[in-house]
C-alpha cells in the first residue's frame, strides 16, 4: 500500500495555525452557490467577536454633522430597507501563495464569498445627520478591540464622503434573510460593495464625520500595497479582477489534487471585479486558453462561467482568468507584495484524468 505521506520536519507556528483556524475560508466547492450559505461564508476576525446585546446596541453618528444621532436597531429597522447581493473578498486572499510569506492569515484562494445583505442605505442616515460642509471623511468604528504591532485600537476604517454616499453602501442587520450572525458583525455592520472586505466594518457602533484623513491603524498602516516596510504604499481599495474554478472531480485528502474520469467534464466557477463588470472569462488546459460561457451578471456580485472540457487521460493543469469591462485582466503570476495583498494571479488546479 502506498504510504499516505511522509512526515514534514519542523512545526507549524502556533500563530499561523490559530489565524488559519479562526479566519477560515469558503470551501471552493461552495462556488456552486450563487449566494454562499452563511455558514460557508469566509471569515476574517482580527480580534475577538465582541459581546453584543442587540436590544442595548446604539449606533452613534457624530463629528462634523449638524445633528448628532443615537440610533437603536429598532429605529434602524423602521427605516426603508434594501437587500443587495454582494461579493466580498479579503484583501489578503492569495497571500498564502506568496514567498517569502507574511505572518498573517494564510489564504490560498478561498477568502471570497457572496451574501444577500439587508439593511438601510448609509446615505439615509448621513442625510438625517446632515453633514457639515467641512466633512471630507466618514470614519466607521467597530466594537472589537485589540493590539496590532503594539498599537491598541478598535477596528476602524474610513471612506471619503463621496464613497460613503455611493449607492449600495449599506448598514446591514441581516444576511441571507436571517439575522446577522455574531461572526459576521451582529447586530450591525457596514457593507461596502466592490471594495476589499476590510472596508465593511463589522460590529459597527459609531460613525464620525471628520475633516482630516483618518490615521487609525487599520487605515493608515494596515491595508497598503508595499514592497518595503518603510514606504507609505498605496491603499487597498476596490477588489482586483479575479476568478475561480469549482475544483472538478474528487480530491485527495491531503494534497487536494483532483481525479476526474476521461470524457466530457463540466467546468465552471465565478468571476468578479470591483472596478467594472466582468467582460470575459477564459479557461485553459495546460496553458491553451479559450473563452468560457458567461452566466448572468449581478450588479455588485460575481458572475458565473461555464465550459465543457473534453478530458484526455493523463496529468493536466486547469486554470481560469477574467477580464473586466475596463480591460483589467488577471496576471499569470501575481506581483509580490510585502503583506500579500491583492494577489489575483490565476488559479491552477492539478488534475489526474483516469481512462
Ligand atoms: N470590526 C471589524 N470589522 C471587520 C473586520 C474586523 O476584524 N473587525 N475584518 C474585516 C476584514 S479584513 C474582512 S475581509 C471582512 C470579512 O467579513 P466577514 O468575516 O463577514 O466575511 O470584514 C472586515 N470588517
Ligand atoms: Mo480582509
Amino acid at each position: 500500500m502506498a504510504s499516505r505521506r511522509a512526515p514534514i520536519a519542523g512545526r507549524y507556528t502556533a500563530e499561523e495555525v490559530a489565524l488559519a483556524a479562526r479566519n477560515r475560508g469558503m470551501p471552493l466547492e461552495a462556488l456552486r452557490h450563487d449566494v454562499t450559505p452563511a455558514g460557508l461564508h469566509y471569515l476574517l476576525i482580527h480580534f475577538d467577536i465582541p459581546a453584543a446585546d442587540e436590544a442595548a446596541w446604539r449606533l452613534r453618528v457624530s463629528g462634523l454633522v449638524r445633528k448628532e444621532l443615537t440610533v437603536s436597531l429598532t429605529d434602524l429597522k423602521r427605516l426603508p430597507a434594501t437587500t443587495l447581493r454582494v461579493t466580498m473578498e479579503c484583501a489578503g486572499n492569495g497571500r498564502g501563495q506568496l514567498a517569502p510569506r507574511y505572518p498573517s492569515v494564510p489564504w490560498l484562494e478561498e477568502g471570497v464569498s457572496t451574501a444577500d445583505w439587508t439593511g438601510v442605505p448609509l446615505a439615509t442616515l448621513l442625510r438625517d445627520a446632515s453633514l457639515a460642509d467641512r466633512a471630507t471623511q466618514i470614519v466607521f468604528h467597530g466594537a472589537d478591540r485589540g493590539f496590532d504591532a503594539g498599537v491598541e485600537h478598535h477596528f476602524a476604517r474610513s471612506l471619503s464622503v463621496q464613497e460613503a454616499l455611493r449607492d449600495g453602501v449599506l448598514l446591514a442587520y441581516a444576511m441571507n434573510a436571517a439575522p446577522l450572525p455574531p461572526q459576521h458583525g451582529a447586530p450591525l455592520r457596514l457593507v461596502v460593495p466592490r471594495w476589499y472586505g476590510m472596508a465593511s466594518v463589522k460590529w459597527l457602533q459609531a460613525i464620525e464625520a471628520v475633516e482630516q484623513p483618518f490615521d487609525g491603524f487599520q487605515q493608515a498602516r494596515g491595508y497598503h500595497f508595499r514592497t518595503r516596510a518603510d514606504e507609505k504604499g498605496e491603499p487597498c481599495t476596490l477588489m482586483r479582477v479575479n476568478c475561480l474554478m469549482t475544483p472538478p472531480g474528487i480530491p485527495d485528502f491531503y494534497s487536494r489534487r483532483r481525479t476526474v474520469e476521461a470524457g466530457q467534464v463540466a467546468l465552471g466557477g465565478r468571476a468578479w471585479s470591483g472596478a467594472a463588470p466582468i467582460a470575459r472569462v477564459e479557461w485553459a488546459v495546460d496553458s491553451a486558453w479559450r473563452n468560457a460561457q458567461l452566466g448572468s451578471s449581478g450588479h455588485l456580485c460575481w458572475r458565473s462561467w461555464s465550459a465543457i472540457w473534453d478530458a484526455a487521460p493523463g496529468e493536466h493543469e486547469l486554470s481560469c482568468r477574467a477580464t473586466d469591462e475596463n480591460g483589467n485582466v488577471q496576471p499569470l503570476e501575481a506581483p509580490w507584495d510585502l503583506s500579500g495583498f491583492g494577489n489575483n494571479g490565476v488559479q491552477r488546479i492539478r488534475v489526474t484524468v483516469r481512462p
Side-chain angles (χ1 to χ4, degrees):
M1 214 163 78
S3 86
R4 197 172 180 199
R5 53 186 177 265
I8 299 169
R11 298 185 186 209
Y12 296 102
T13 77
E15 292 85 353
E16 286 171 308
V17 175
L19 277 171
R22 66 178 286 114
N23 299 293
R24 48 128 192 90
M26 180 191 72
L28 292 192
E29 61 272 28
L31 285 164
R32 71 169 75 101
H33 302 285
D34 290 337
V35 177
T36 312
L40 296 179
H41 195 289
Y42 87 89
L43 283 178
L44 195 309
I45 300 158
H46 284 74
F47 305 130
D48 292 346
I49 298 171
D53 170 8
E54 169 159 345
W57 196 269
R58 295 292 180 273
L59 173 68
R60 285 189 35 80
V61 183
S62 65
L64 298 174
V65 294
R66 296 191 181 88
K67 189 175 136 207
E68 295 205 341
L69 306 175
T70 302
V71 186
S72 70
L73 266 290
T74 313
D75 298 333
L76 270 178
K77 288 175 182 171
R78 279 200 203 103
L79 297 171
T82 41
T83 297
L84 292 174
R85 185 160 298 178
V86 175
T87 294
M88 198 181 287
E89 182 184 18
C90 182
N93 199 15
R95 168 186 293 129
Q97 301 172 357
L98 297 180
R101 69 193 200 263
Y102 181 74
S104 187
V105 181
W107 303 117
L108 296 175
E109 45 222 356
E110 59 292 303
V112 61
S113 300
T114 294
D116 285 338
W117 303 101
T118 300
V120 178
L122 174 64
T124 305
L125 225 68
L126 293 182
R127 227 179 293 114
D128 283 357
S130 179
L131 293 174
D133 299 332
R134 281 192 299 131
T136 67
Q137 312 283 317
I138 311 293
V139 187
F140 303 91
H141 297 274
D144 49 333
R145 191 171 183 84
F147 293 88
D148 197 342
V151 181
E152 184 178 348
H153 60 282
H154 285 286
F155 187 93
R157 292 275 312 176
S158 66
L159 292 173
S160 69
V161 166
Q162 193 196 350
E163 285 295 341
L165 290 175
R166 214 179 270 280
D167 249 14
V169 180
L170 273 191
L171 298 167
Y173 48 73
M175 177 187 192
N176 297 354
L180 202 55
Q183 65 273 28
H184 290 292
L188 188 68
R189 80 175 299 171
L190 188 67
V191 174
V192 184
R194 305 183 302 113
W195 281 58
Y196 280 118
M198 73 281 152
S200 294
V201 175
K202 303 192 274 189
W203 311 294
L204 181 67
Q205 60 177 8
I207 296 176
E208 193 189 348
V210 299
E211 185 171 8
Q212 299 304 325
F214 175 56
D215 65 357
F217 186 94
Q218 302 290 341
Q219 188 71 30
R221 281 186 64 182
Y223 299 104
H224 278 74
F225 295 108
R226 294 186 181 102
T227 48
R228 292 191 336 263
D230 61 355
E231 67 179 324
K232 172 89 183 76
E234 277 301 306
C236 302
T237 58
L238 300 180
M239 297 183 294
R240 288 180 173 168
V241 63
N242 210 343
C243 83
L244 288 173
M245 181 184 298
T246 313
I250 57 170
D252 175 65
F253 165 65
Y254 187 67
S255 65
R256 303 304 298 175
R257 193 188 182 90
R258 316 297 301 187
T259 298
V260 306
E261 308 298 330
Q264 304 238 302
V265 178
L267 300 178
R270 311 271 170 181
W272 64 94
S273 169
I278 292 297
R280 179 181 188 202
V281 172
E282 297 159 280
W283 63 288
V285 182
D286 305 323
S287 302
W289 294 94
R290 60 206 97 169
N291 284 328
Q293 194 85 24
L294 290 179
S296 63
S297 181
H299 172 44
L300 303 169
C301 69
W302 55 27
R303 186 167 193 183
S304 65
W305 63 270
S306 61
I308 299 290
W309 174 31
D310 199 8
E315 301 300 317
H316 298 289
E317 185 186 74
L318 299 177
S319 36
C320 57
R321 88 178 154 199
T323 305
D324 71 18
E325 285 180 9
N326 286 0
N328 298 306
V329 58
Q330 291 178 247
L332 294 178
E333 298 295 336
W336 185 81
D337 168 77
L338 182 66
S339 307
F341 289 131
N343 179 353
N344 65 339
V346 303
Q347 177 194 21
R348 293 162 199 282
I349 302 180
R350 303 289 307 165
V351 179
T352 300
V353 180
R354 267 198 308 226

